[in-house]
Amino acid sequence: RTPKINSNGGRDHWGMCGSLFFAGAGIKTGQVIGQSDKDAAYPVTRGYSPADVAATIYQSLGISLETRLPDMLGRPHPLLDHGAPIVEALA
């Protein structure tokens, strides 16, 4: 959320930056990956997508990113169609 109160008495969303944490399953502990500007509005280092987070989780759990899952007609679809593991997070 933005640090400033808007005209409706609330705070707006800043969609370019957020935070999350990983624990267990082969994750390096005690580190911060990435950096935002002074207002926490925009990344100043490489940004990560939800697909990157999913790829990190899958790799940590030993699930191949090349996995294909069949749809209702038996056609194979990739587990992820984009995204890459956040290697800095993995032990």
Side-chain angles (χ1 to χ4, degrees):
R1 298 287 191 163
T2 60
K4 298 178 183 175
I5 304 298
N6 65 26
S7 62
N8 295 321
R11 296 189 305 170
D12 298 312
H13 291 273
W14 276 345
M16 298 300 296
C17 282
S19 60
L20 65 107
F21 67 90
F22 288 114
I27 296 297
K28 289 182 190 175
T29 60
Q31 64 176 340
V32 174
I33 300 169
Q35 182 179 359
S36 66
D37 65 8
K38 67 180 183 67
D39 296 317
Y42 299 97
V44 296
T45 57
R46 177 182 181 259
Y48 298 98
S49 71
D52 296 328
V53 172
T56 305
I57 293 168
Y58 291 147
Q59 181 166 323
S60 183
L61 294 173
I63 299 171
S64 171
L65 300 180
E66 302 302 316
T67 299
R68 299 208 173 268
L69 302 171
D71 66 12
M72 291 175 55
L73 298 175
R75 298 173 296 190
H77 292 274
L79 184 62
L80 289 173
D81 60 1
H82 65 281
I86 304 167
V87 296
E88 299 89 349
L90 299 170

